[in-house]
Amino acid sequence: MTTVLVFFFILGGMALLGSVGTVASRNVVHAALSLVLALLAVAGLFILLLAEFLAIVQVLIYGGAITIILLFALMLTRTREGPVRLDNAQRRFALIGAGAAFAVLTVVIMVSDWPAPIDNPVRPGFSRISEVLFQQWAIPFEAASLVLLVALIGAIVISRPEKGERD
Amino acid sequence: MTWTDILLTSLKVGAMVGLITVVVLLLTYLERKILGRIQMRMGPMRTGFHGVLQPIADALKLVLKEDVLPSVKDRAVFWIAPLVVFVPALILWVTIPFTEDLVVRNLEFGILYIVAVSVFSIVGIIMASWGSNNKYALLGGARAVAQLISYELPVILVILAVVMVSETLDMRLIVEAQSSYPFIYVQPLGFLIFLIAGLAELGRTPFDIPTAESEIVGGPFVEYSGMHWSMFFLAEYANTFAIGALTTVLFLGGWSGPLLPGLLWFSIKTLSVIFFIFWLRATLPRFRIDQLMTFCWKFLIPISFLNILVTGFYLFYGWPSWSMFLLSMAMIFGGYTTIRITQKRRAASIAETLRLRRERIAA
């Protein structure tokens, strides 16, 4: 067994553990922290695939920013003590949705034509990534940033006090 | 990758961890000495010659002290939190080059890696503040998150300007790009913003709002003692050292310099920055949280964007480097004047309100 495989099993196990913890934990904060574990393990898997840029971005955006916002929101909004209801009547729909997503992903992964063989990955250089991102995919990239901008402005508009509320 | 590679890397990592620990011990001694001198005291004198053994005595005390486990609600989160703060402070050193060869592993995305890893310690602070189940800890945690997230932005924006000038994310190449002149020459504004925002990221005076001993008795760390507390303490000093080293690498030309060997230059530059940080602690009072946030969002971030814009023009049209220096100085002057004018206006409006109130009372 190669060392890469050993690390793959360690990281994969961490990712699975974290994911199960996220959905199975009774405590919301524990669930969020399990999510951090899962996301970090996935970043480690990216490194094993030589996608270092993706791994760093994963840690920066998901491991850092998003989970911090999530934890912060949980911390500030959890005012009640005692058990919180973590379940609702949408179990069946959730199962269907997750199953459908899983099926679609499986089919896409099986069907699609990968640019590099998985058992012998190539390390994409930094300049190569920026070429592809800012030349070949420049317009989708800009469109994505526009969507984020719209969301940002929407958040400001929603959270702004209305005329009568201002003290 | 073979097992010898892994062994070699482990050895390098071990050496790095040892070095950081020694430097951190030295820094605690230096800080107490410098603070003492500025306040016309001697600082530690009793242990060893001029107190040089003081950090060892402190470390022994911390190790031997009882590690109190308060009756917290969430024991696992409480116990793991110091590690989550401490580990990013250490693994960030993987890619900081002391000299051209003295680096654990040079990464192509070096500076991005450092930014990503350093953000992660916020999670540890949240865990500490939540796990403590203490109102001061929770307040401190909320302050810490607000402050650290906000000040991350100017840091990243300034690093972006430096990366634009050097055209690489590789720490070693960033230093090599400064062979003709250090980047403080073309980015004086960037240097200032990086120092201010870096200081806020460290949570040191004048930005020690999250831990403010005199208001919320240590913030997220209030329930910790013994080794667990010293983890936070060590992380703070390791991060201070990191800010010094990063300023050196990004703005002061890293290991390059005439005559002296590279490592010595690196140490001199880093220690000067750290001395400046300690000096500020002795000089400035603490900000208030709303002043801090206003300063970041309404001043630092806009001026960082302006800096990126101007740097873009400078690079695109290939202007001479002295013009970038002048532009940057003009932005510093403009920013300073803006702050002065707003302050004066606010002071005048407060004075006006007070005058009106006095007249109303008199009438």
Side-chain angles (χ1 to χ4, degrees), chain A residues 3 30 36 40 68 75 126, chain B residues 1 74 108-109 120 130 169:
Chain A
T3 39
H30 284 182
V36 178
L40 284 188
I68 290 168
M75 236 169 66
F126 176 53
Chain B
M1 193 161 40
D74 207 330
E108 197 190 353
F109 309 111
F120 200 73
W130 190 83
L169 291 171

Side-chain angles (χ1 to χ4, degrees), chain B residues 53 253 259 324:
Chain B
L53 296 178
L259 295 174
M324 184 64 215

Side-chain angles (χ1 to χ4, degrees), chain A:
Chain A
M1 206 155 54
T2 61
T3 39
V4 174
L5 211 58
V6 174
F7 281 108
F8 173 77
F9 279 119
I10 295 172
L11 289 168
M14 270 168 66
L16 279 181
L17 207 72
S19 315
V20 172
T22 308
V23 288
S25 176
R26 291 253 156 233
N27 186 324
V28 193
V29 174
H30 284 182
L33 291 174
S34 308
L35 184 65
V36 178
L37 181 70
L39 292 170
L40 284 188
V42 171
L45 290 177
F46 285 149
I47 289 180
L48 285 189
L49 292 170
L50 300 183
E52 287 167 357
F53 181 71
L54 203 56
I56 290 171
V57 171
Q58 167 94 357
V59 173
L60 183 64
I61 309 283
Y62 288 97
I66 286 181
T67 43
I68 290 168
I69 301 289
L70 203 70
L71 282 168
F72 197 45
L74 285 179
M75 236 169 66
L76 290 184
T77 51
R78 260 180 61 102
T79 45
R80 284 171 309 187
E81 290 290 321
V84 187
R85 238 181 119 236
L86 295 169
D87 217 346
N88 57 25
Q90 293 175 344
R91 273 193 170 201
R92 224 168 294 156
F93 303 108
L95 185 68
I96 294 169
F102 183 73
V104 168
L105 277 179
T106 314
V107 170
V108 169
I109 288 170
M110 298 298 281
V111 168
S112 47
D113 196 15
W114 297 100
I118 298 167
D119 51 345
N120 186 23
V122 284
R123 186 194 304 269
F126 176 53
S127 49
R128 176 95 186 92
I129 290 175
S130 52
E131 260 168 36
V132 171
L133 194 62
F134 295 117
Q135 284 179 7
Q136 200 176 337
W137 297 96
I139 291 169
F141 180 80
E142 291 298 326
S145 59
L146 204 66
V147 170
L148 287 177
L149 186 68
V150 169
L152 212 66
I153 295 171
I156 292 171
V157 169
I158 289 172
S159 62
R160 218 164 61 161
E162 285 174 27
K163 264 193 183 150
E165 281 180 342
R166 203 176 293 256
D167 50 19

Side-chain angles (χ1 to χ4, degrees), chain B residues 316-355:
Chain B
F316 188 75
Y317 291 109
W319 292 338
S321 53
W322 54 263
S323 69
M324 184 64 215
F325 175 72
L326 288 183
L327 279 171
S328 211
M329 289 311 257
M331 281 192 284
I332 293 176
F333 183 73
Y336 179 72
T337 327
T338 322
I339 289 183
R340 293 301 299 186
I341 290 172
T342 3
Q343 270 180 342
K344 270 189 190 148
R345 273 206 196 133
R346 193 175 300 146
S349 90
I350 289 172
E352 179 67 16
T353 323
L354 288 178
R355 197 180 59 80

